[in-house]
Amino acid sequence: QVQLVESGGGSVQAGGSLRLSCAASGDPYPSACMGWFRQAPGKEREGVATIFAGAGNTYYADSVKGRFTISQDNAKNTVYLEMNSLKPEDTATYYCARRRFSSPNYCRDDLSKTYAMSDWGKGTVVTISS
């Protein structure tokens, strides 16, 4: 059974940093698209960043470009989200997700297509205070 387990959430002040991790169990998917999505209270879930497992191509939402970095450690089957210069508007539950069979172009587009992701973690809460 495939599981995605997030960790690393917490509460920090604006301007601070956090690093989220997503550990995937089960068989790896070399052509998967892995992504981080977030959902703030009362808002729709939105894409934050995606990474194509095969070549490491990365894609970001405009709101986090230059502040967040998505990366992967294929040996550990783990994806990370390094978040710097955090703002109160970054407050949300962050979810790790995966589309098992993808391509660089699809992975770029999946940033705006939560429905394309087949596997989801349970989320980790990030709270940024001003």
Side-chain angles (χ1 to χ4, degrees):
Q1 183 179 358
V2 174
Q3 277 191 318
L4 301 178
V5 180
E6 305 97 335
S7 61
S11 299
V12 297
Q13 289 190 325
S17 300
L18 282 172
R19 188 194 196 204
L20 306 183
S21 299
C22 171
S25 63
D27 293 331
Y29 292 89
S31 63
C33 177
M34 298 293 298
W36 287 97
F37 295 76
R38 67 186 181 186
Q39 187 167 17
K43 294 189 176 181
E44 292 187 355
R45 193 169 297 188
E46 63 176 1
V48 176
T50 55
I51 184 168
F52 178 60
N57 310 61
T58 57
Y59 309 95
Y60 297 93
D62 287 343
S63 59
V64 305
K65 277 181 183 177
R67 300 189 298 123
F68 291 11
T69 302
I70 188 171
S71 62
Q72 62 185 1
D73 184 334
N74 289 335
K76 295 182 178 180
N77 220 4
T78 300
V79 173
Y80 305 96
L81 186 68
E82 186 76 34
M83 305 187 295
N84 298 314
S85 303
L86 284 161
K87 305 175 182 180
E89 50 264 44
D90 294 319
T91 295
T93 299
Y94 283 71
Y95 298 90
C96 177
R98 175 170 64 189
R99 178 176 181 167
R100 299 184 186 183
F101 303 99
S102 189
S103 71
N105 286 340
Y106 283 138
C107 197
R108 177 198 62 213
D109 295 342
D110 287 346
L111 194 56
S112 59
K113 297 178 181 178
T114 57
Y115 56 84
M117 296 302 190
S118 56
D119 305 318
W120 289 86
K122 293 183 179 181
T124 185
V125 178
V126 171
T127 304
I128 312 302
S129 57
S130 57

